[in-house]
């Protein structure tokens, strides 16, 4: 090669090297800061890929909650945020295509925050937000083919939750929002049902726009929850409760069915209820406010009335009062300067404690409470707490209420907390109340309490003994206590879950109701209670409701309860159990009237349904 050509090659190589060095200097020195800022503006965001949730089955394998695949319209909230108008025009056009107002869609796609009220999206802002499910094929095609009109909107097949039994056991099952269980079993067993989410890592620029996908990890489907709920019995309880409320004019109520010997939940019915499929499309603010989200069976609290007398009878036995002794049941009993009366002022004459339970004599229990109070005994409260009242049962459902077992300390604490308002009312009265006689009575009561309230008196003890005067229980608490009477004294923490099963059929774990204690009653006392309660539906206060019942096939025992409620109709109760099948059935009807007229017939309907004697509609 000639020297000339070598010189040219050297010059070219030198020029190329100089150019490269110049470019590097320009990038690192001149524009280095800009590139550092640009690199810093790129962020990696992880978008969860929700797995298919596990099913919820009844004890026989019937689906209570399952999944199906349907066309789902989703919205990318970040894509909308980059629209000049924040996505309003896109949502307006989408609403026209779906036949829904703009406001409804806007509520579904707004992101949750400290100052953002429900409903709102609780998931990731980079996750597609479902706004409409089960969209018709023509509408889905219209949206897919007009992407220029619907930027950030997609239509794709997705699994959604399906509730085959509608509103039956809605509060027990719960619901899902943002791929997470928010109530009921969906929340309590969310870790099992949810499976393991997959993940898509995306690069996001400083404006929040997704620039590229970095990697994907597929999700793992959730496990199946098998419950002890029997869908057949659940349907029977729902029907009986609904018919009782419709005929008696009650506003709300609940029915509970437990396995007495195990603490497993067979049915939990509550009214008012709702169809949990309302959550599949997301709810509007108006819909959310209207939803009856309170589980009456687990969170509803009422005075138990005479169903409470099993605890008072057990307290009497523990305090040395003979259950076989004879007591007088006059129409009234005086405590202090007040006469406490039997229902309708009935004079029932002398009877044993057996008769006091069967015929529901109040004055025998008033006398018992008065004497214990004079002795300074807290036997009634100790026994009630020993029956599991005044604290949650520990059921595997969220938000359980504790009920209330009032005593001297709680009354004093409540008086201290409300004394200022009580004393204000003692001076100003109740001018807003239309019933002047009632207003005058309440004003006089406020004056008395302002001067010397907060003291546990004989009248408080008398009311306590018959399940009034601040005593509150949930239907589940009462069912657990009666189940313990039936099974010989064992208190369980009820469980709805039975076992968790992997998609392949392998059992992950079995769920066993834990034993939480023993009733504070001897075997002899429990036998006495079972014998007395066995006569209530045959010859006692529930005899009318159970007239013609086939006791030879199923020996139902139980207790009626009628609890007064200020300004409203009485609360109606019936608590019952039977040895075969070994179930405990409790029914409560708010504003249902007398226990024998409202709750007892509803409980009978449940027992007859269990036996197959009633046709379910």
């Amino acid at each position: 090669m000639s020297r000339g050509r070598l010189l040219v090659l050297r010059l070219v190589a030198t020029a190329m090297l100089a150019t490269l060095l110049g470019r590097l200097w320009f990038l690192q020195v001149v524009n280095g800061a800009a590139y550092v800022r640009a690199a810093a503006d790129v962020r990696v965001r992880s978008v969860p890929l929700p797995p298919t949730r596990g099913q919820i089955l009844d004890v026989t394998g019937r689906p209570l909650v399952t999944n199906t695949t349907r066309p789902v319209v989703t919205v990318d909230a970040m894509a909308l945020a980059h629209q000049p108008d924040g996505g309003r025009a896109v949502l307006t056009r989408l609403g026209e295509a779906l036949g829904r107002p703009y406001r409804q869609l806007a509520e579904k796609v707004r992101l949750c925050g400290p100052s953002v009220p429900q409903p709102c999206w609780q998931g990731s802002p980079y996750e597609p937000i479902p706004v409409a499910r089960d969209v018709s094929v023509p509408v889905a095609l219209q949206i897919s083919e007009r992407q220029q009109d619907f930027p950030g909107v997609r239509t794709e097949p997705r699994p959604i939750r399906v509730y085959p039994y509608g509103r039956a056991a809605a509060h027990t099952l719960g619901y899902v929002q943002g791929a997470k269980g928010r109530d009921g079993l969906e929340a309590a067993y969310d870790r099992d049902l949810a499976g393991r989410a997959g993940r898509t890592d995306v690069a996001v620029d400083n404006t929040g726009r997704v620039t590229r996908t970095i990697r994907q990890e597929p999700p793992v489907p959730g496990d199946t929850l098998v419950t002890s709920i029997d869908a057949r019995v659940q349907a029977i309880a729902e029907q009986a409760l609904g018919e009782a409320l419709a005929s008696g004019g009650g506003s709300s109520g609940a029915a509970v069915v437990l396995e007495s010997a195990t603490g497993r939940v067979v049915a939990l019915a509550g009214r008012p209820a709702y169809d949990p499929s309302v959550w599949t499309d997301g709810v509007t603010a108006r819909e959310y406010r209207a939803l009856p989200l309170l589980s009456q069976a687990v969170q509803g609290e009422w005075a138990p009335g005479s169903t409470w007398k099993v605890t008072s009878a057990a307290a009497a036995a523990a305090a040395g009062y003979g259950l076989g002794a004879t007591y007088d049941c006059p129409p009234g009993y005086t405590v202090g300067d007040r006469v406490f009366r039997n229902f309708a002022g009935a004079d029932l004459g002398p009877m044993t404690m057996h008769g006091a339970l069967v015929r529901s004599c109040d004055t025998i229990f008033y006398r018992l409470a008065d004497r214990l109070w004079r002795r300074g005994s807290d036997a009634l409260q100790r026994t009630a707490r020993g029956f599991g009242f005044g604290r949650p049962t520990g059921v595997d459902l969220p938000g359980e209420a504790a009920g209330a077992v009032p005593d001297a300390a709680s009354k004093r604490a409540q008086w201290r907390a409300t004394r200022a308002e009580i004393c204000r009312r003692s001076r100003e009265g109740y001018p807003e109340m239309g019933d002047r006689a009632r207003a005058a009575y309440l004003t006089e009561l406020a004056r008395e309490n302002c001067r010397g309230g907060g003291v546990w008196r004989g009248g408080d003890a008398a009311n306590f003994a018959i399940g009034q005067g601040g005593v509150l229980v949930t239907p589940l608490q009462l069912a657990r206590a009666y189940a313990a009477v039936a099974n010989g004294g064992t208190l369980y923490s009820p469980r709805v879950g039975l076992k968790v099963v992997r998609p392949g059929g392998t059992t992950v774990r079995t769920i066993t109701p834990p034993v939480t204690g023993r009733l504070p009653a001897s075997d002899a006392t429990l036998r006495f209670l079972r014998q007395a309660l066995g006569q209530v539906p045959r010859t006692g206060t529930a005899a009318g409701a159970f007239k013609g019942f086939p006791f030879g096939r199923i020996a139902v025992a139980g207790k009626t309860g009628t609890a007064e409620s200020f300004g409203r109709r009485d609360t109606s109760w019936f608590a019952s159990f039977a040895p075969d099948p070994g179930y405990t059935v409790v029914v409560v009807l708010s504003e249902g009237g007398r226990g024998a007229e409202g709750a007892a017939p509803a409980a009978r309907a449940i027992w007859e349904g269990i036996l197959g004697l009633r046709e379910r509609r």
Side-chain angles (χ1 to χ4, degrees):
M1 185 179 296
S2 66
R3 288 186 177 183
R5 298 181 69 180
L6 286 174
L7 180 60
V8 170
L9 287 174
R10 287 175 182 172
L11 290 173
V12 170
T14 302
M16 291 177 63
L17 181 60
T19 301
L20 178 60
L21 292 174
R23 183 60 178 167
L24 288 175
W25 177 84
F26 179 80
L27 292 174
Q28 294 184 4
V29 178
V30 177
N31 279 354
Y35 280 99
V36 169
R37 287 194 301 272
D41 285 340
V42 176
R43 298 288 186 271
V44 176
R45 296 288 184 265
S46 293
V47 180
L49 298 175
T52 301
R53 284 183 74 86
Q55 298 184 91
I56 302 178
L57 310 179
D58 89 332
V59 68
T60 65
R62 288 172 287 203
L64 300 174
V65 184
T66 186
N67 305 292
T68 190
T69 301
R70 294 179 182 173
V72 176
V73 176
T74 64
V75 171
D76 184 339
M78 298 309 298
L80 290 189
H82 284 85
Q83 296 292 314
D85 60 353
R88 185 182 185 90
V90 174
L91 290 181
T92 300
R93 287 192 294 271
L94 181 60
E96 292 172 353
L98 297 173
R100 303 183 185 187
Y102 161 79
R103 181 176 178 181
Q104 184 181 106
L105 298 179
E107 287 178 344
K108 292 181 179 182
V109 301
R110 66 184 178 188
L111 305 178
C112 288
S115 60
V116 179
Q118 287 278 6
C120 56
W121 177 248
Q122 301 186 45
S124 167
Y126 299 99
E127 182 180 353
I129 302 173
V131 296
R133 302 174 191 266
D134 201 16
V135 181
S136 67
V137 173
V139 172
L141 289 175
Q142 178 186 2
I143 295 171
S144 299
E145 293 173 355
R146 293 171 51 198
Q147 281 298 294
Q148 71 279 6
D149 293 331
F150 302 108
V153 179
R154 293 174 59 94
T155 304
E156 56 189 22
R158 277 195 174 194
I160 65 169
R161 293 305 246 179
V162 177
Y163 303 87
Y165 293 91
R167 65 179 181 174
H171 298 103
T172 303
L173 299 174
Y175 62 92
V176 178
Q177 189 182 31
K180 185 174 179 61
R182 300 293 177 183
D183 195 16
L185 294 173
E186 294 277 25
Y189 291 92
D190 185 62
R191 294 182 63 180
D192 299 295
L193 295 167
R196 190 172 69 245
R199 189 178 74 178
T200 297
D201 290 339
V202 296
V204 180
D205 64 20
N206 63 339
T207 67
R209 190 187 304 274
V210 175
T211 58
R212 61 190 175 92
T213 298
I214 298 174
R215 68 167 185 166
Q216 284 189 325
E217 180 182 325
V220 177
D223 295 332
T224 292
L225 175 66
V226 181
T227 72
S228 54
I229 295 289
D230 186 321
R232 185 183 77 88
V233 178
Q234 179 72 39
I236 291 167
E238 297 278 357
Q239 178 180 326
L241 180 63
E243 290 177 351
L245 288 171
S247 62
S251 58
S252 61
V256 178
V257 183
L258 298 182
E259 286 184 358
S260 303
T262 67
R264 297 194 184 281
V265 176
V266 180
L268 288 177
R271 297 291 176 92
Y274 69 97
D275 188 338
S277 63
V278 69
W279 296 98
T280 59
D281 282 347
V283 297
T284 64
R286 176 180 295 181
E287 289 171 337
Y288 184 83
R289 288 192 297 269
L291 287 177
L293 297 178
L294 181 74
S295 170
Q296 300 293 344
V298 176
Q299 298 169 310
E301 298 173 296
W302 292 272
S306 291
T307 61
W308 185 257
K309 289 174 180 174
V310 294
T311 70
S312 297
Y321 290 86
L323 297 178
T326 300
Y327 304 92
D328 191 30
C329 182
Y333 180 81
T334 302
V335 180
D337 59 356
R338 178 183 170 189
V339 178
F340 289 77
R341 300 190 179 280
N342 270 333
F343 179 78
D347 186 351
L348 301 179
M351 61 181 64
T352 64
M353 192 65 74
H354 180 280
L357 289 173
V358 175
R359 302 179 69 183
S360 205
C361 171
D362 288 339
T363 50
I364 288 177
F365 291 96
Y366 292 146
R367 181 185 294 108
L368 164 69
D370 185 35
R371 291 180 177 178
L372 290 173
W373 174 75
R374 292 175 184 275
R375 288 164 46 182
S377 172
D378 65 346
L380 289 171
Q381 280 84 4
R382 282 189 286 107
T383 303
R385 294 188 183 99
F387 270 69
F389 298 112
R391 67 178 187 273
T393 67
V395 67
D396 52 344
L397 293 171
E400 183 184 12
V405 176
D407 56 14
S410 64
K411 184 179 180 182
R412 186 166 53 250
Q414 183 179 18
W415 176 72
R416 287 173 177 169
T418 59
R419 183 180 182 183
E421 175 62 15
I422 291 172
C423 291
R424 184 183 72 82
R425 288 293 189 178
S426 72
R427 297 187 303 271
E428 301 175 7
Y430 294 80
E432 74 279 6
M433 188 169 289
D435 186 341
R436 305 314 303 160
R438 185 68 183 172
Y441 168 75
L442 291 176
T443 302
E444 183 58 35
L445 187 63
R447 288 172 184 156
E448 179 182 334
N449 285 330
C450 181
R451 291 191 300 267
V455 178
W456 185 261
R457 303 184 188 278
D460 297 313
N463 277 324
F464 183 97
I466 63 162
Q468 297 272 184
V471 177
L472 294 173
V473 303
T474 70
L476 184 61
Q477 284 177 322
L478 193 65
R480 177 175 75 151
Y482 270 74
V485 172
N487 70 31
T490 302
L491 276 172
Y492 288 97
S493 179
R495 289 293 180 271
V496 183
L498 183 64
K499 60 182 177 179
V500 177
V501 179
R502 290 194 177 95
T506 305
T507 297
V508 177
R509 71 179 187 280
T510 300
I511 302 159
T512 303
V515 174
T516 59
R518 294 277 305 175
L519 294 183
S522 67
D523 290 342
T525 296
L526 293 175
R527 282 195 300 272
F528 168 84
L529 292 175
R530 289 193 292 270
Q531 291 167 359
L533 297 178
Q535 289 302 309
V536 172
R538 298 169 186 258
T539 62
T541 54
F546 279 82
K547 184 178 180 180
F549 186 80
F551 290 106
R553 293 184 60 182
I554 181 168
V556 173
K559 185 75 187 77
T560 56
T562 304
E564 295 180 358
S565 181
F566 174 68
R568 304 168 66 184
R569 290 183 65 207
D570 294 339
T571 301
S572 179
W573 285 93
F574 191 71
S576 58
F577 53 80
D580 185 20
Y583 288 163
T584 293
V585 175
V586 167
V587 176
V588 60
L589 306 174
S590 178
E591 299 192 85
R594 296 179 57 194
E597 297 172 349
R604 173 179 178 159
I606 294 174
W607 285 113
E608 288 180 340
I610 291 170
L611 282 173
L613 300 179
R614 281 172 58 93
E615 181 179 349
R616 182 165 58 85
R617 293 184 291 278

